[in-house]
Amino acid sequence: QVQLQESGPGLVKPSQTLSLTCTVSGGSISSGSYYWNWIRQPAGKGLEWIGRIYSSGSTNYNPSLKSRVTISVDTSKNHFSLKLSSVTAADTAVYYCARARGGYCSGGNCYSIWVIGSTYYYYMDVWGKGTTVTVSS
Amino acid sequence: QSVLTQPPSVSVAPGQKVTISCSGGSSNIGNNYVSWYQQLPGAAPKLLIYDNNKRPSGISDRFSGSKSGTSATLGITGLQTGDEADYYCGTWDSSLSTYWVFGGGTKLTVL
């Protein structure tokens, strides 16, 4: 059974870069048609999707964070990583990593490949427990 | 402000049924599949419903999902105190950029 575990510094200074890693156990990050996601949740607030990466290295980011976010994958270490630059107190949150399945659907059939401009199916079926990151001097 | 609108809170008596709505538009719910997530207090989110109305293995049939046009609905029957949680809908948005969006979340209280 696949499990995800987030790791990284719990405290980051303003204007610096937040760096987190999500280690995948119980399965290979490059097997199957899975997408690897980062999501965050400020205390008492809702979930915000940060972005995702496929094992090939293809990425998608939340437009509101795109200029500051980099997600990368290291298949040799079976983990993927998040870097968020120029952080402020507003970036203080619990950060989750999650595995997702997805693809496009057409003519009543769905396929586990991504075709731009299609009808998409996508869902996050395995989540890490989350790690709290505080931005403070 | 999320592009997917959910009621902030709902309260229901034990044993009763509740529906939680998720309203969007043609670029998100109207064109893509919806999933729902349950977040118990202090825990990570958990997948409840995928592809609009499918349940993952191990999820009770008390939970159901549906979609019509640009809105989706999560239904829970036979409410238990253990169902008290935050519930989030989510889907892809294909407006200017293609990205995943969550609803603002609904806090379910079982009185």
Side-chain angles (χ1 to χ4, degrees), chain B residues 29-62:
Chain B
I29 292 177
N31 191 53
N32 300 301
Y33 286 81
V34 176
S35 52
W36 289 89
Y37 302 85
Q38 177 193 58
Q39 186 176 32
L40 295 169
K46 172 184 172 182
L47 178 66
L48 263 189
I49 297 288
Y50 68 99
D51 291 357
N52 300 334
N53 55 19
K54 298 176 183 175
R55 284 188 310 275
S57 174
I59 298 299
S60 169
D61 60 4
R62 296 188 300 110

Side-chain angles (χ1 to χ4, degrees), chain A residues 35 37 49 52 58-60 100-124, chain B residues 4 25-37 49-54 67 69 90-101:
Chain A
Y35 297 86
N37 300 258
W49 184 75
R52 72 167 187 184
S58 173
T59 55
N60 292 92
R101 301 172 188 253
Y104 85 100
C105 299
S106 178
N109 296 310
C110 292
Y111 309 89
S112 57
I113 56 176
W114 206 257
V115 176
I116 294 175
S118 301
T119 291
Y120 301 122
Y121 77 96
Y122 196 82
Y123 53 94
M124 299 173 209
Chain B
L4 303 182
S26 58
S27 66
N28 42 69
I29 292 177
N31 191 53
N32 300 301
Y33 286 81
V34 176
S35 52
W36 289 89
Y37 302 85
I49 297 288
Y50 68 99
D51 291 357
N52 300 334
N53 55 19
K54 298 176 183 175
K67 185 184 112 168
T91 189
W92 276 90
D93 188 285
S94 308
S95 49
L96 295 177
S97 299
T98 300
Y99 65 108
W100 177 267
V101 290

